[in-house]
Amino acid sequence: MLVQAAGLTIHALDRVDLQRFIHAREIAGRAFGAWRTAILAPADRREQMLADLDLPDGLSVELDRQPAVRVGAQPPPADVMRLFRLDLVNSGPPRLRPREVRLGAHAPGGFLASLRLPDGDWLNIRVEMPPPRPWHSATFLVAFVVMTVAAVLLILWAVARLMRPVRLLAEAADRLGRDVNAPPLPEGGPSEVATAARAFNVMAGRIRRFVADRTQMLAAIGHDLRTPITRLRLRAEFMDDDEQRRKMLSDLDEMEQMIAATLAFARDDAAAEPATPVDLAALCRTVADEAADARPELAEAIAFEGPERLTIRARPIALKRAIANLVSNALAYGGAARLRLVPPEGGVVRLAVEDDGPGIPEAELEAVFTPFRRLEASRNRETGGTGLGLTIARNILRAHGGDVVLTNRPQGGLRAVASLPA
């Protein structure tokens, strides 16, 4: 737009110079024409003939007994003299030359001229340059609109072309954040973009190798730990002390549960599950019904509120696992699980899971998402948890492009709010 403004300004300045030159030539020609009329016309008709002349703006002539320019008046500037070719006033045939010429400065860019006729009268010519009109053109508006539209189209095309690789890079980064096995970014385009795409693909490859190595290591550790756990379980069966045997078997069961949960968390099998249309309302009702069947003593404290149907694209098994973890967490530590599904707003669907427990200290609301993090005051090993439920739920929801946050309810209890793209 600055280039457009600069081009129009240059065009306007060129038109100003051209208009000034044309006006000066026209005024000079008409002024000489007025002099010829005055000197050739009969004395009794001279004034009438001068009044009938069609003179342009900025030029006026009058017949008078006295000159309008006094003796000793300041002459017009040199540029005005050159522009109007005032050096030609005394040119032409002798009989058409004025008996005396007086020139004086007038308004900026103009002049006064007093020419004496043979009979002693004076023809006073007053010249005032009309203001320039750089935009006065029959085709200027059309040209301006065409130039502006062309400039806007070129700008939009150039910006879109420049931003497209950046947009593709942002989309690839978002896909990688949701799925570590997302396809690589095309390495085409300008050299800078191709270099950035190659660096991004190398980074994605390293992340995939890191995740694969971590998963393989944890799987090997889990496999190796199962053998000594099995041996300990067999040896515990031969213990004579029933109480010690029961405690040891309980500890071994807890170890197996922790190993299984850790391996499931590390593998993240849900990441390979394809996304399909899922009725989120039906899925929430299913989770609530299954929780009521598993905990019949708390069936009255489990409820669902929301629309009859609400379809989104998601990985159904993974999403069910995330919601089930939130419900299980609410039942285990809050004695209730009330699910409230909110219709899409601003492109986001929200699911709130509320309980009636003691809540969580404000300083710990984010810390409980750390793997194996449990609050001893209300969340200890006797509840059977491994400290991975909330972590797994957040990882699944974030892989869907959403998140989950915890807040304490003013009337008591905890509220877990899960958000998903609509």
Side-chain angles (χ1 to χ4, degrees):
M1 301 314 293
L2 288 175
V3 170
Q4 173 86 334
L8 290 174
T9 301
I10 294 172
H11 169 74
L13 293 177
D14 285 344
R15 284 185 59 84
V16 167
D17 291 339
L18 181 59
Q19 285 182 359
R20 188 165 179 263
F21 178 79
I22 293 175
H23 288 161
R25 286 295 177 262
E26 182 181 8
I27 289 174
R30 295 293 187 88
F32 288 136
W35 166 254
R36 288 177 61 88
T37 299
I39 200 171
L40 295 177
D44 56 342
R45 297 187 57 196
R46 186 180 296 157
E47 189 169 357
Q48 181 61 39
M49 293 181 68
L50 288 174
D52 292 340
L53 291 177
D54 183 17
L55 300 178
D57 293 339
L59 173 63
S60 62
V61 297
E62 63 179 5
L63 202 61
D64 199 347
R65 298 298 298 175
Q66 298 295 327
V69 181
R70 303 303 178 188
V71 177
Q74 183 179 359
D79 59 330
V80 174
M81 298 280 286
R82 288 193 300 269
L83 183 63
F84 288 93
R85 299 297 302 274
L86 296 181
D87 55 326
L88 300 179
V89 173
N90 283 316
S91 63
R95 67 186 183 87
L96 297 180
R97 295 177 186 175
R99 297 297 181 267
E100 183 181 351
V101 177
R102 297 183 184 181
L103 299 174
H106 189 44
F111 66 92
L112 287 174
S114 294
L115 310 179
R116 189 163 66 87
L117 295 165
D119 60 0
D121 286 344
W122 291 85
L123 181 66
N124 294 319
I125 301 175
R126 188 185 307 272
V127 174
E128 296 179 0
M129 285 294 290
R133 304 175 66 184
W135 315 115
H136 182 67
S137 172
T139 59
F140 173 77
L141 183 60
V142 175
F144 175 77
V145 171
V146 170
M147 290 176 61
T148 302
V149 171
V152 170
L153 292 177
L154 286 173
I155 290 169
L156 293 177
W157 173 80
V159 171
R161 186 174 182 272
L162 290 173
M163 293 304 296
R164 183 174 179 274
V166 179
R167 185 174 65 254
L168 293 177
L169 183 62
E171 292 173 354
D174 183 66
R175 286 196 303 270
L176 183 64
R178 299 187 184 196
D179 181 9
V180 74
N181 295 314
L185 184 66
E187 299 179 2
S191 59
E192 295 82 359
V193 176
T195 301
R198 282 193 294 271
F200 179 85
N201 290 334
V202 170
M203 178 194 68
R206 290 172 179 169
I207 292 175
R208 281 191 286 270
R209 286 195 298 273
F210 170 77
V211 173
D213 292 344
R214 184 194 68 166
T215 303
Q216 185 176 5
M217 179 188 66
L218 289 174
I221 292 174
H223 179 272
D224 293 343
L225 284 176
R226 282 198 170 95
T227 301
I229 289 176
T230 302
R231 288 200 300 265
L232 287 173
R233 187 183 297 279
L234 290 174
R235 290 172 183 172
E237 293 291 346
F238 293 100
M239 293 183 63
D240 295 331
D241 190 330
D242 293 340
E243 181 64 19
Q244 291 298 323
R245 181 172 64 251
R246 184 187 64 79
K247 291 182 178 180
M248 183 172 291
L249 291 174
S250 176
D251 289 342
L252 292 173
D253 288 339
E254 185 177 354
M255 289 178 63
E256 282 190 328
Q257 292 177 7
M258 292 180 65
I259 291 173
T262 302
L263 291 177
F265 172 68
R267 283 198 306 268
D268 192 14
D269 295 331
E273 181 186 5
T276 59
V278 177
D279 187 347
L280 185 57
L283 187 63
C284 290
R285 283 192 291 269
T286 299
V287 172
D289 293 342
E290 291 179 354
D293 293 339
R295 304 286 296 271
E297 72 279 6
L298 298 176
E300 296 295 329
I302 302 174
F304 169 75
E305 177 185 342
E308 191 66 23
R309 295 178 61 85
L310 203 165
T311 303
I312 63 172
R313 283 192 65 83
R315 303 182 181 101
I317 298 176
L319 187 56
K320 181 180 179 182
R321 182 182 180 190
I323 298 174
N325 282 359
L326 295 178
V327 171
S328 175
N329 193 75
L331 292 174
Y333 308 123
R338 290 181 294 276
L339 290 79
R340 182 176 292 106
L341 183 61
V342 181
E345 183 178 348
V348 177
V349 176
R350 290 179 174 82
L351 171 66
V353 181
E354 300 177 348
D355 63 39
D356 296 329
I360 296 177
E362 293 292 333
E364 300 289 338
L365 287 174
E366 187 64 25
V368 293
F369 288 103
T370 305
F372 304 108
R373 179 64 179 268
R374 286 172 293 191
L375 303 181
E376 296 300 329
S378 59
R379 301 165 185 256
N380 51 51
R381 291 181 181 272
E382 293 182 1
T383 63
T386 60
L388 287 174
L390 290 176
T391 307
I392 292 173
R394 170 169 275 188
N395 283 359
I396 291 174
L397 291 168
R398 284 184 172 177
H400 282 80
D403 203 354
V404 59
V405 294
L406 301 179
T407 57
N408 288 308
R409 301 169 60 211
Q411 61 271 37
L414 191 69
R415 177 187 293 113
V417 180
S419 58
L420 288 165

